[in-house]
Amino acid sequence: MLKLNAPRDATVYVTGVAVGPSNQPIEVRCGRYFVRLGEPTPKGTRWLAEGRTVIIKCGALTEASF
């Protein structure tokens, strides 16, 4: 499980794929992944924060703040 805490609602992207909303636990595979926050627009994704690598724990909740 991954939860990205953000000051506003956004979409969580893991290795470039939208996986769910920020500020809520999302079921994802464990391991080391590049994650970012963004929002879809008609012209593509608008990134709201710089991405970074997060190690997602197996069988536990991993939280990161953006």
Side-chain angles (χ1 to χ4, degrees):
M1 300 294 287
L2 172 65
K3 182 180 178 192
L4 292 189
N5 299 312
R8 61 182 267 201
D9 291 335
T11 301
V12 176
Y13 290 81
V14 176
T15 60
V17 177
V19 295
S22 62
N23 302 311
Q24 296 180 29
I26 304 165
E27 189 172 334
V28 295
R29 292 183 155 210
C30 57
R32 183 182 199 142
Y33 295 99
F34 185 75
V35 298
R36 316 175 81 161
L37 289 174
E39 59 185 17
T41 70
K43 295 182 180 182
T45 303
R46 184 169 68 112
W47 302 114
L48 303 176
E50 277 192 43
R52 65 177 192 239
T53 301
V54 174
I55 299 172
I56 301 169
K57 302 173 210 166
C58 294
L61 177 65
T62 299
E63 289 192 63
S65 295
F66 276 76

